Amino acid sequence: MDNRNSPRLPVNLYTMLNYPSLGLIRGCIRNIGMGGMFVDIGRIQLPVNATLEASLLLGGDGLDCHMQVEAIVVRCAEQGVGLMFDELDEGCRNTLSRLIRSAVEVPAEPGCPDLLH
């Protein structure tokens, strides 16, 4: 069952997750929406309800927004985790909203899919 409150945009963006008991985890965002994102972290397992900090760079139409946001693990899958954003500042919320509304797919970064497996 899908509990999302907003649509998701498929992307391939690097991210760094900071989970205190494991440190920094490099991941690849596979989809993102106003409420959260799915991050491919390979075989690393994180517990549901864990709180972590995600760092990523969003861009579109010449606008760049570096986001560092707290997120909560809401779903674990074989190759990644579903994260729900805790809070977004107004600038990043606007950039993310524009990106999703325009349905501009963020260009894939070379190596992102192969980095984790």
Side-chain angles (χ1 to χ4, degrees), residues 17-23 25 37 41 44-54 69-76 81-86:
L17 305 178
N18 185 3
Y19 181 61
S21 64
L22 294 177
I25 302 165
M37 60 188 175
I41 55 173
I44 298 170
Q45 297 291 309
L46 297 176
V48 172
N49 296 321
T51 300
L52 53 83
E53 186 175 74
V69 62
E70 282 195 18
I72 300 166
V73 176
V74 293
R75 182 172 71 90
C76 294
V81 291
L83 301 175
M84 179 178 69
F85 296 135
D86 195 16

Side-chain angles (χ1 to χ4, degrees), residues 34 58-60 63-65 67 89-102:
M34 294 305 295
L58 293 177
L63 302 172
D64 286 332
C65 178
M67 288 176 52
D89 68 40
E90 187 177 342
C92 290
R93 187 174 27 256
N94 289 339
T95 300
L96 185 55
S97 177
R98 268 184 256 136
L99 184 73
I100 293 167
R101 247 191 348 258
S102 64

